[in-house]
Coordinates of all heavy atoms in Angstrom, one line a residue:
M5 N 91.5 54.7 -1.3 CA 91.7 55.8 -0.4 C 90.4 56.0 0.5 O 90.5 56.4 1.7 CB 91.9 57.1 -1.2 CG 92.3 58.2 -0.3 SD 93.8 57.9 0.7 CE 94.6 59.4 0.6
A6 N 89.2 55.7 -0.1 CA 88.0 55.9 0.8 C 88.0 54.9 1.9 O 87.4 55.2 3.0 CB 86.8 55.7 -0.1
D7 N 88.5 53.7 1.7 CA 88.6 52.7 2.8 C 89.5 53.2 3.9 O 89.1 53.1 5.1 CB 89.1 51.4 2.2 CG 89.0 50.3 3.2 OD1 87.9 50.1 3.8 OD2 90.0 49.5 3.4
L8 N 90.6 53.8 3.6 CA 91.5 54.4 4.6 C 90.8 55.5 5.4 O 90.9 55.6 6.6 CB 92.8 54.9 4.0 CG 93.8 55.3 5.0 CD1 94.2 54.2 5.9 CD2 95.1 55.8 4.2
T9 N 90.0 56.3 4.7 CA 89.2 57.4 5.4 C 88.2 56.8 6.3 O 88.1 57.2 7.5 CB 88.5 58.3 4.3 OG1 89.6 58.8 3.4 CG2 87.8 59.4 5.0
R10 N 87.5 55.7 5.9 CA 86.5 55.1 6.7 C 87.2 54.5 8.0 O 86.6 54.5 9.1 CB 85.7 54.1 6.0 CG 84.6 54.6 5.2 CD 83.9 53.5 4.5 NE 84.6 53.4 3.2 CZ 84.4 52.4 2.4 NH1 83.6 51.4 2.6 NH2 85.0 52.4 1.2
A11 N 88.3 53.9 7.7 CA 89.0 53.2 8.8 C 89.5 54.2 9.9 O 89.4 54.0 11.1 CB 90.2 52.4 8.4
G12 N 90.0 55.4 9.4 CA 90.4 56.4 10.2 C 89.3 57.0 11.0 O 89.4 57.2 12.2
L13 N 88.2 57.3 10.4 CA 87.0 57.8 11.1 C 86.4 56.8 12.1 O 86.1 57.2 13.2 CB 85.9 58.2 10.0 CG 84.6 58.8 10.6 CD1 84.9 60.1 11.3 CD2 83.6 58.9 9.5
A14 N 86.4 55.5 11.7 CA 85.9 54.6 12.7 C 86.8 54.4 13.9 O 86.3 54.2 15.0 CB 85.8 53.2 12.0
T15 N 88.1 54.5 13.7 CA 89.1 54.4 14.8 C 88.9 55.6 15.7 O 88.9 55.5 16.9 CB 90.5 54.3 14.2 OG1 90.6 53.2 13.4 CG2 91.5 54.2 15.3
F16 N 88.7 56.8 15.1 CA 88.6 58.0 15.9 C 87.3 57.9 16.7 O 87.3 58.2 17.9 CB 88.5 59.2 14.9 CG 88.4 60.5 15.6 CD1 89.4 61.1 16.4 CD2 87.1 61.2 15.6 CE1 89.3 62.3 17.0 CE2 87.0 62.4 16.3 CZ 88.0 63.0 17.0
V17 N 86.2 57.4 16.1 CA 85.0 57.3 16.9 C 85.1 56.3 18.0 O 84.6 56.5 19.1 CB 83.8 56.9 15.9 CG1 82.5 56.5 16.6 CG2 83.5 58.0 15.0
A18 N 85.6 55.1 17.7 CA 85.8 54.1 18.7 C 86.7 54.5 19.9 O 86.4 54.4 21.1 CB 86.4 52.8 18.1
L19 N 87.8 55.2 19.6 CA 88.7 55.7 20.7 C 88.0 56.8 21.4 O 88.2 56.9 22.7 CB 90.0 56.2 20.1 CG 90.9 55.0 19.5 CD1 92.2 55.6 19.0 CD2 91.3 54.1 20.7
G20 N 87.2 57.7 20.8 CA 86.5 58.7 21.4 C 85.5 58.2 22.4 O 85.3 58.7 23.5
I21 N 84.7 57.2 22.0 CA 83.7 56.6 22.8 C 84.4 55.8 24.0 O 83.9 55.9 25.1 CB 82.8 55.7 22.1 CG1 81.9 56.4 21.2 CG2 82.0 54.8 22.9 CD1 81.1 55.7 20.2
G22 N 85.5 55.2 23.8 CA 86.3 54.5 24.8 C 86.8 55.5 25.8 O 86.7 55.3 27.1
W23 N 87.3 56.6 25.4 CA 87.8 57.6 26.3 C 86.7 58.2 27.1 O 86.8 58.4 28.3 CB 88.6 58.7 25.5 CG 89.2 59.8 26.4 CD1 88.8 61.0 26.6 CD2 90.4 59.6 27.1 NE1 89.6 61.7 27.5 CE2 90.6 60.8 27.8 CE3 91.3 58.5 27.3 CZ2 91.7 61.0 28.7 CZ3 92.4 58.7 28.2 CH2 92.6 59.9 28.8
S24 N 85.6 58.5 26.5 CA 84.4 59.0 27.2 C 83.9 58.0 28.2 O 83.5 58.5 29.4 CB 83.2 59.3 26.2 OG 83.7 60.3 25.3
A25 N 83.9 56.7 27.9 CA 83.5 55.8 28.9 C 84.4 55.7 30.1 O 84.0 55.6 31.2 CB 83.4 54.3 28.2
V26 N 85.7 55.8 29.9 CA 86.7 55.8 31.0 C 86.5 57.0 31.8 O 86.5 57.0 33.0 CB 88.1 55.7 30.4 CG1 89.1 56.0 31.5 CG2 88.4 54.3 29.8
I27 N 86.1 58.2 31.2 CA 85.9 59.4 32.0 C 84.6 59.3 32.8 O 84.6 59.8 33.9 CB 85.9 60.6 31.1 CG1 87.3 60.9 30.5 CG2 85.3 61.8 31.8 CD1 87.3 62.0 29.4
L28 N 83.7 58.5 32.4 CA 82.4 58.3 33.1 C 82.4 57.3 34.1 O 81.5 57.2 34.9 CB 81.3 58.1 32.1 CG 80.9 59.2 31.1 CD1 79.9 58.8 30.1 CD2 80.5 60.5 31.9
V29 N 83.5 56.5 34.2 CA 83.5 55.4 35.2 C 83.4 55.9 36.6 O 82.7 55.3 37.4 CB 84.8 54.6 35.0 CG1 85.1 53.7 36.2 CG2 84.7 53.7 33.8
P30 N 84.0 57.1 37.0 CA 83.8 57.6 38.3 C 82.4 57.9 38.8 O 82.1 58.1 39.9 CB 84.7 58.8 38.4 CG 85.7 58.6 37.4 CD 85.0 57.8 36.3
L31 N 81.5 57.9 37.8 CA 80.1 58.2 38.1 C 79.5 57.0 39.0 O 78.4 57.1 39.5 CB 79.2 58.4 36.9 CG 79.5 59.7 36.2 CD1 78.6 59.8 34.9 CD2 79.1 60.9 37.1
Y32 N 80.2 55.9 39.0 CA 79.7 54.7 39.8 C 79.5 55.1 41.3 O 78.8 54.5 42.0 CB 80.6 53.6 39.7 CG 80.8 52.9 38.3 CD1 81.8 52.1 38.0 CD2 79.8 53.2 37.3 CE1 82.0 51.5 36.8 CE2 80.0 52.6 36.1 CZ 81.1 51.8 35.8 OH 81.2 51.2 34.6
E33 N 80.3 56.1 41.8 CA 80.2 56.5 43.2 C 78.8 57.0 43.5 O 78.5 56.9 44.7 CB 81.3 57.7 43.4 CG 82.7 57.2 43.4 CD 83.6 58.3 43.7 OE1 83.2 59.3 44.3 OE2 84.8 58.2 43.3
F34 N 78.1 57.5 42.6 CA 76.7 58.0 42.9 C 75.7 56.8 43.2 O 74.7 57.0 43.7 CB 76.2 58.8 41.8 CG 76.9 60.1 41.7 CD1 77.7 60.4 40.6 CD2 76.9 61.1 42.6 CE1 78.4 61.6 40.4 CE2 77.5 62.3 42.5 CZ 78.3 62.6 41.5
L35 N 76.1 55.6 42.8 CA 75.3 54.5 43.0 C 75.3 53.9 44.5 O 74.6 53.1 44.9 CB 75.6 53.4 42.0 CG 75.5 53.7 40.6 CD1 76.0 52.6 39.7 CD2 74.0 54.0 40.3
V36 N 76.4 54.3 45.2 CA 76.7 53.8 46.5 C 76.4 55.0 47.5 O 77.0 56.1 47.3 CB 78.0 53.3 46.7 CG1 78.3 52.8 48.1 CG2 78.3 52.2 45.7
A37 N 75.6 54.9 48.5 CA 75.3 55.9 49.5 C 76.6 56.1 50.4 O 77.3 55.1 50.6 CB 74.1 55.6 50.3
D38 N 76.8 57.3 50.9 CA 77.9 57.5 51.7 C 77.8 56.7 53.0 O 76.7 56.6 53.6 CB 78.0 59.0 52.1 CG 78.4 59.8 50.9 OD1 79.0 59.3 50.0 OD2 78.0 61.0 50.8
G39 N 78.9 56.1 53.4 CA 78.9 55.4 54.7 C 78.5 54.0 54.6 O 78.6 53.3 55.6
Q40 N 78.1 53.5 53.4 CA 77.7 52.1 53.3 C 78.9 51.2 53.1 O 80.0 51.7 52.6 CB 76.9 51.9 52.0 CG 75.4 52.2 52.2 CD 74.6 51.7 51.0 OE1 75.1 51.7 49.8 NE2 73.4 51.3 51.2
R41 N 78.8 50.1 53.6 CA 80.0 49.1 53.5 C 80.3 48.7 52.0 O 81.4 48.3 51.7 CB 79.7 47.9 54.3 CG 79.7 48.1 55.8 CD 79.5 46.9 56.6 NE 78.9 45.8 55.8 CZ 78.8 44.6 56.3 NH1 79.1 44.3 57.5 NH2 78.3 43.6 55.5
G42 N 79.3 48.8 51.2 CA 79.4 48.5 49.8 C 80.4 49.3 49.0 O 80.8 49.0 48.0
S43 N 80.8 50.5 49.6 CA 81.7 51.4 48.9 C 83.0 50.8 48.7 O 83.8 51.2 47.8 CB 81.7 52.8 49.5 OG 82.2 52.6 50.8
R44 N 83.3 49.8 49.5 CA 84.7 49.2 49.4 C 84.8 48.3 48.1 O 85.9 47.9 47.7 CB 85.0 48.3 50.6 CG 84.1 47.1 50.7 CD 84.4 46.3 52.0 NE 83.5 45.1 52.0 CZ 83.1 44.7 53.1 NH1 83.5 45.2 54.3 NH2 82.2 43.6 53.1
Y45 N 83.6 48.0 47.5 CA 83.7 47.2 46.3 C 83.8 48.1 45.0 O 83.8 47.6 43.9 CB 82.4 46.4 46.2 CG 82.3 45.3 47.2 CD1 81.4 45.4 48.2 CD2 83.2 44.2 47.2 CE1 81.3 44.4 49.2 CE2 83.1 43.3 48.1 CZ 82.2 43.3 49.1 OH 82.1 42.4 50.1
L46 N 83.8 49.4 45.1 CA 83.9 50.3 44.0 C 85.2 50.0 43.1 O 85.1 50.1 41.9 CB 83.8 51.8 44.4 CG 82.4 52.3 44.6 CD1 82.4 53.7 45.0 CD2 81.6 52.2 43.4
P47 N 86.3 49.8 43.8 CA 87.5 49.5 42.9 C 87.3 48.2 42.1 O 87.9 48.2 41.0 CB 88.6 49.3 44.0 CG 88.2 50.1 45.1 CD 86.7 50.0 45.2
V48 N 86.5 47.3 42.5 CA 86.3 46.1 41.7 C 85.5 46.5 40.4 O 85.8 46.1 39.3 CB 85.5 45.1 42.5 CG1 85.0 43.9 41.6 CG2 86.3 44.6 43.7
A49 N 84.5 47.4 40.6 CA 83.7 47.9 39.5 C 84.5 48.7 38.6 O 84.5 48.6 37.3 CB 82.5 48.6 40.0
Y50 N 85.4 49.6 39.1 CA 86.2 50.4 38.3 C 87.2 49.5 37.5 O 87.4 49.7 36.3 CB 87.1 51.3 39.2 CG 86.4 52.4 39.9 CD1 87.0 53.1 40.9 CD2 85.1 52.8 39.5 CE1 86.3 54.1 41.6 CE2 84.4 53.8 40.2 CZ 85.1 54.4 41.2 OH 84.4 55.4 41.9
G51 N 87.8 48.6 38.1 CA 88.8 47.7 37.5 C 88.1 46.9 36.4 O 88.7 46.7 35.3
L52 N 86.9 46.3 36.7 CA 86.2 45.5 35.7 C 85.9 46.3 34.4 O 86.1 46.0 33.3 CB 84.9 45.0 36.3 CG 84.1 44.0 35.5 CD1 84.9 42.7 35.1 CD2 82.9 43.6 36.2
A53 N 85.4 47.5 34.6 CA 85.0 48.4 33.6 C 86.2 48.8 32.7 O 86.2 48.8 31.5 CB 84.2 49.6 34.0
C54 N 87.2 49.3 33.4 CA 88.4 49.7 32.6 C 89.1 48.6 31.9 O 89.6 48.8 30.8 CB 89.4 50.4 33.6 SG 88.7 52.0 34.2
T55 N 89.1 47.4 32.5 CA 89.7 46.3 31.8 C 88.9 45.9 30.6 O 89.5 45.6 29.6 CB 89.8 45.0 32.8 OG1 90.6 45.5 34.0 CG2 90.5 43.9 32.1
G56 N 87.6 45.9 30.8 CA 86.7 45.6 29.6 C 86.9 46.6 28.5 O 86.9 46.2 27.3
I57 N 87.0 47.9 28.8 CA 87.2 48.9 27.8 C 88.5 48.7 27.1 O 88.6 48.8 25.8 CB 87.0 50.3 28.4 CG1 85.5 50.5 28.9 CG2 87.5 51.4 27.4 CD1 85.4 51.7 29.8
A58 N 89.6 48.5 27.8 CA 90.8 48.2 27.2 C 90.8 47.0 26.3 O 91.4 46.9 25.2 CB 91.9 48.1 28.3
A59 N 90.2 45.9 26.8 CA 90.1 44.7 26.0 C 89.3 44.9 24.7 O 89.7 44.3 23.7 CB 89.4 43.6 26.8
A60 N 88.3 45.8 24.8 CA 87.5 46.0 23.5 C 88.4 46.7 22.5 O 88.3 46.4 21.3 CB 86.3 46.9 23.9
V61 N 89.2 47.6 22.9 CA 90.1 48.3 22.0 C 91.1 47.3 21.4 O 91.4 47.3 20.2 CB 90.8 49.5 22.7 CG1 91.9 50.1 21.8 CG2 89.8 50.5 23.1
V62 N 91.6 46.4 22.3 CA 92.6 45.4 21.8 C 91.9 44.4 20.8 O 92.5 44.1 19.7 CB 93.2 44.6 23.0 CG1 93.9 43.4 22.5 CG2 94.0 45.5 23.8
V63 N 90.6 44.0 21.0 CA 90.0 43.2 20.1 C 89.8 43.8 18.7 O 90.0 43.2 17.7 CB 88.6 42.8 20.7 CG1 87.7 42.2 19.6 CG2 88.8 41.8 21.8
A64 N 89.5 45.1 18.7 CA 89.3 45.8 17.5 C 90.6 45.9 16.8 O 90.7 45.8 15.6 CB 88.7 47.2 17.8
A65 N 91.7 46.2 17.5 CA 93.0 46.3 16.9 C 93.5 44.9 16.3 O 94.0 44.9 15.2 CB 94.1 46.8 17.9
V66 N 93.2 43.9 17.0 CA 93.5 42.5 16.5 C 92.7 42.2 15.2 O 93.2 41.7 14.2 CB 93.2 41.4 17.5 CG1 93.2 40.0 16.9 CG2 94.3 41.5 18.6
L67 N 91.4 42.6 15.1 CA 90.7 42.4 13.9 C 91.2 43.2 12.7 O 91.2 42.7 11.6 CB 89.2 42.7 14.2 CG 88.4 41.7 15.0 CD1 87.1 42.3 15.3 CD2 88.3 40.4 14.3
V68 N 91.6 44.5 13.0 CA 92.2 45.3 12.0 C 93.5 44.7 11.4 O 93.7 44.6 10.3 CB 92.4 46.8 12.5 CG1 93.3 47.5 11.5 CG2 91.0 47.4 12.7
V69 N 94.3 44.3 12.3 CA 95.6 43.7 11.9 C 95.4 42.4 11.1 O 96.1 42.2 10.1 CB 96.5 43.4 13.2 CG1 97.7 42.6 12.8 CG2 97.0 44.8 13.7
S70 N 94.4 41.6 11.6 CA 94.1 40.4 10.8 C 93.6 40.7 9.4 O 94.0 40.0 8.5 CB 93.2 39.5 11.6 OG 91.9 40.0 11.6
K71 N 92.8 41.7 9.3 CA 92.3 42.1 8.0 C 93.5 42.6 7.1 O 93.5 42.4 5.9 CB 91.2 43.1 8.1 CG 89.9 42.5 8.4 CD 88.7 43.4 8.1 CE 87.4 42.6 8.3 NZ 86.3 43.4 7.8
L72 N 94.4 43.4 7.7 CA 95.5 43.9 6.9 C 96.4 42.8 6.4 O 96.9 42.8 5.3 CB 96.4 44.8 7.8 CG 95.8 46.2 8.0 CD1 96.6 47.0 9.0 CD2 95.7 47.0 6.7
R73 N 96.6 41.7 7.3 CA 97.4 40.6 6.9 C 96.8 39.8 5.8 O 97.5 39.2 4.9 CB 97.7 39.7 8.1 CG 98.7 40.2 9.0 CD 99.0 39.2 10.1 NE 100.0 39.7 10.9 CZ 100.5 39.1 12.0 NH1 100.0 37.9 12.3 NH2 101.4 39.6 12.7
M74 N 95.5 39.7 5.8 CA 94.8 39.0 4.7 C 94.5 39.8 3.5 O 93.9 39.4 2.5 CB 93.4 38.4 5.2 CG 93.6 37.4 6.3 SD 92.2 36.5 6.8 CE 91.0 37.8 7.2
R75 N 95.0 41.1 3.5 CA 94.8 42.1 2.5 C 93.4 42.3 2.1 O 93.0 42.4 0.9 CB 95.6 41.6 1.2 CG 97.1 41.6 1.5 CD 97.9 41.2 0.2 NE 99.2 41.0 0.5 CZ 100.2 42.0 0.3 NH1 99.8 43.1 -0.1 NH2 101.4 41.7 0.6
R76 N 92.5 42.4 3.2 CA 91.1 42.7 3.0 C 90.9 44.2 3.4 O 91.7 44.7 4.1 CB 90.3 41.7 3.8 CG 90.4 40.3 3.3 CD 89.6 39.3 4.1 NE 88.2 39.7 4.1 CZ 87.4 39.3 5.1 NH1 87.8 38.5 6.0 NH2 86.1 39.6 5.0
A77 N 89.8 44.7 2.9 CA 89.4 46.1 3.3 C 89.1 46.2 4.8 O 88.4 45.3 5.3 CB 88.2 46.5 2.4
I78 N 89.6 47.2 5.4 CA 89.4 47.4 6.8 C 87.9 48.0 7.0 O 87.2 47.6 7.9 CB 90.4 48.3 7.4 CG1 91.8 47.7 7.3 CG2 90.1 48.6 8.9 CD1 92.9 48.7 7.7
G79 N 87.6 49.0 6.3 CA 86.4 49.7 6.4 C 86.0 50.2 7.8 O 86.7 50.9 8.5
W80 N 84.8 49.7 8.3 CA 84.3 50.1 9.6 C 84.7 49.2 10.7 O 84.0 49.2 11.8 CB 82.8 50.3 9.5 CG 82.4 51.4 8.5 CD1 81.9 51.1 7.3 CD2 82.5 52.8 8.7 NE1 81.6 52.4 6.7 CE2 82.0 53.4 7.5 CE3 82.9 53.6 9.7 CZ2 81.9 54.7 7.3 CZ3 82.9 55.0 9.5 CH2 82.4 55.5 8.4
T81 N 85.6 48.3 10.5 CA 86.0 47.3 11.5 C 86.3 47.8 12.9 O 85.9 47.2 13.9 CB 87.2 46.5 11.0 OG1 86.8 45.9 9.7 CG2 87.5 45.3 12.0
P82 N 86.9 48.9 13.0 CA 87.2 49.4 14.4 C 85.9 49.7 15.2 O 86.0 49.7 16.4 CB 88.0 50.7 14.2 CG 88.7 50.5 12.9 CD 87.7 49.7 12.0
L83 N 84.8 49.9 14.5 CA 83.6 50.1 15.3 C 83.0 48.9 16.0 O 82.1 49.0 16.8 CB 82.5 50.6 14.3 CG 82.7 52.1 13.8 CD1 81.5 52.4 12.9 CD2 82.7 53.0 14.9
V84 N 83.7 47.7 15.8 CA 83.4 46.6 16.6 C 83.6 46.8 18.1 O 82.9 46.3 19.0 CB 84.3 45.4 16.2 CG1 84.2 44.2 17.1 CG2 83.9 45.0 14.7
A85 N 84.5 47.7 18.4 CA 84.8 48.1 19.8 C 83.7 48.8 20.5 O 83.6 48.7 21.7 CB 86.1 48.9 19.9
V86 N 82.9 49.6 19.8 CA 81.9 50.4 20.4 C 80.8 49.6 21.3 O 80.7 49.9 22.4 CB 81.2 51.3 19.4 CG1 80.0 52.0 19.9 CG2 82.2 52.2 18.7
P87 N 80.2 48.6 20.8 CA 79.3 47.9 21.7 C 80.0 47.1 22.8 O 79.4 47.1 23.9 CB 78.6 46.8 20.7 CG 79.3 46.9 19.5 CD 80.1 48.1 19.4
L88 N 81.2 46.7 22.6 CA 82.0 46.1 23.7 C 82.3 47.1 24.8 O 82.3 46.8 26.0 CB 83.2 45.4 23.1 CG 83.0 44.3 22.1 CD1 84.4 43.9 21.6 CD2 82.3 43.2 22.8
I89 N 82.7 48.3 24.4 CA 82.9 49.4 25.3 C 81.7 49.7 26.1 O 81.7 49.8 27.4 CB 83.4 50.6 24.6 CG1 84.8 50.4 24.1 CG2 83.5 51.9 25.5 CD1 85.4 51.4 23.1
I90 N 80.5 49.9 25.4 CA 79.3 50.1 26.2 C 78.9 49.0 27.1 O 78.5 49.3 28.3 CB 78.2 50.4 25.2 CG1 78.5 51.7 24.4 CG2 76.8 50.5 25.8 CD1 77.6 51.9 23.2
E91 N 79.1 47.8 26.7 CA 78.8 46.6 27.5 C 79.7 46.6 28.8 O 79.3 46.3 29.9 CB 78.9 45.4 26.8 CG 77.7 45.2 25.8 CD 78.0 44.0 24.9 OE1 79.0 43.3 25.0 OE2 77.1 43.7 24.0
S92 N 80.9 46.9 28.6 CA 81.9 46.9 29.7 C 81.5 48.0 30.7 O 81.6 47.8 31.9 CB 83.3 47.2 29.2 OG 83.7 46.1 28.3
W93 N 81.2 49.2 30.2 CA 80.8 50.2 31.1 C 79.5 49.8 31.9 O 79.4 50.1 33.1 CB 80.6 51.5 30.4 CG 80.4 52.7 31.3 CD1 81.5 53.5 31.8 CD2 79.3 53.2 31.9 NE1 81.0 54.4 32.6 CE2 79.6 54.3 32.8 CE3 77.9 52.9 31.9 CZ2 78.7 55.0 33.5 CZ3 77.0 53.6 32.6 CH2 77.4 54.7 33.4
L94 N 78.5 49.3 31.3 CA 77.3 48.9 31.9 C 77.6 47.7 32.9 O 76.9 47.7 33.9 CB 76.3 48.5 30.9 CG 75.7 49.6 30.0 CD1 74.8 49.1 28.9 CD2 75.0 50.6 31.0
L95 N 78.4 46.8 32.5 CA 78.8 45.7 33.5 C 79.4 46.3 34.8 O 79.0 45.8 35.8 CB 79.7 44.7 32.8 CG 80.1 43.5 33.7 CD1 78.9 42.7 34.1 CD2 81.1 42.7 33.0
G96 N 80.3 47.2 34.6 CA 80.9 47.9 35.8 C 79.9 48.6 36.6 O 79.9 48.6 37.8
C97 N 78.9 49.2 35.9 CA 77.8 50.0 36.6 C 77.0 48.9 37.4 O 76.6 49.2 38.5 CB 77.0 50.7 35.6 SG 75.7 51.7 36.3
L98 N 76.7 47.8 36.8 CA 75.8 46.8 37.4 C 76.6 46.2 38.6 O 76.0 46.0 39.7 CB 75.5 45.7 36.4 CG 74.7 44.5 37.0 CD1 73.2 45.1 37.3 CD2 74.5 43.5 35.9
V99 N 77.8 46.0 38.5 CA 78.6 45.5 39.6 C 78.6 46.5 40.8 O 78.5 46.2 41.9 CB 80.1 45.1 39.2 CG1 80.9 44.9 40.4 CG2 80.0 43.9 38.3
A100 N 78.8 47.8 40.5 CA 78.8 48.8 41.5 C 77.4 48.9 42.1 O 77.4 49.1 43.4 CB 79.2 50.2 40.8
L101 N 76.4 48.7 41.4 CA 75.0 48.8 41.9 C 74.7 47.6 42.8 O 74.2 47.8 44.0 CB 74.0 48.9 40.8 CG 72.6 49.1 41.2 CD1 72.4 50.4 41.8 CD2 71.7 49.0 39.9
V102 N 75.1 46.5 42.4 CA 74.8 45.3 43.2 C 75.7 45.2 44.4 O 75.2 45.0 45.5 CB 74.9 44.0 42.3 CG1 74.8 42.7 43.2 CG2 73.8 44.0 41.3
L103 N 77.0 45.3 44.2 CA 77.9 45.1 45.3 C 77.8 46.4 46.3 O 78.1 46.2 47.4 CB 79.3 44.9 44.9 CG 79.6 43.6 44.1 CD1 81.1 43.6 43.7 CD2 79.2 42.5 45.0
G104 N 77.5 47.5 45.7 CA 77.3 48.7 46.6 C 76.2 48.6 47.5 O 76.1 49.4 48.4
S105 N 75.2 47.8 47.2 CA 74.0 47.7 48.0 C 74.2 46.7 49.2 O 73.3 46.5 50.0 CB 72.8 47.3 47.2 OG 73.0 46.0 46.7
L106 N 75.3 46.1 49.2 CA 75.6 45.0 50.3 C 75.9 45.7 51.6 O 76.4 46.8 51.7 CB 76.8 44.2 49.9 CG 76.6 43.3 48.7 CD1 77.9 42.5 48.4 CD2 75.5 42.3 48.9

C-alpha cells in the first residue's frame, strides 16, 4: 500500500510541475522585444516546449506501465518526467531567446 501512495504522490507532483510549465510557456513573449521580426518564431518555441512536456508525461506513463507488466514496484517512477519537463521548458525558452533575437 505504501508503494501505491508513493506512486500517487509522484504522479501528482509530476503532473503539477507539467501543468505549471505549460502555464509558464507564454512568458517567452518577454524575451522578444515588441516590433522585432523574431516574434514570428514564438509559435515554434511554444510548440517545442509543449510537445516536449507532453512527451515527458508519455515517457513516464510508459515506464509505469512497463513496471506494472513486469510486476515490479512503481515507487517514484513518475518523477522521471520532472527533469524532462524542466528541460523541455528551458529548450523552448532558449529557442525563443535565440530566434527572437533574429
Side-chain angles (χ1 to χ4, degrees):
M5 188 60 142
D7 189 49
L8 186 59
T9 305
R10 276 182 270 170
L13 180 62
T15 303
F16 181 73
V17 168
L19 290 176
I21 290 174
W23 186 256
S24 300
V26 169
I27 289 173
L28 293 174
V29 165
L31 289 177
Y32 296 163
E33 290 180 21
F34 292 113
L35 299 174
V36 179
D38 291 334
Q40 274 189 333
R41 293 182 340 174
S43 63
R44 66 179 179 215
Y45 294 112
L46 278 177
V48 173
Y50 292 164
L52 185 64
C54 290
T55 303
I57 292 168
V61 172
V62 169
V63 165
V66 167
L67 287 173
V68 167
V69 169
S70 69
K71 281 196 171 190
L72 284 173
R73 284 187 177 177
M74 293 187 309
R75 298 184 186 261
R76 294 178 56 202
I78 300 169
W80 298 104
T81 302
L83 288 180
V84 167
V86 173
L88 298 174
I89 290 169
I90 294 169
E91 289 171 359
S92 298
W93 191 90
L94 288 174
L95 180 64
C97 183
L98 181 66
V99 167
L101 185 65
V102 170
L103 293 181
S105 66
L106 295 178

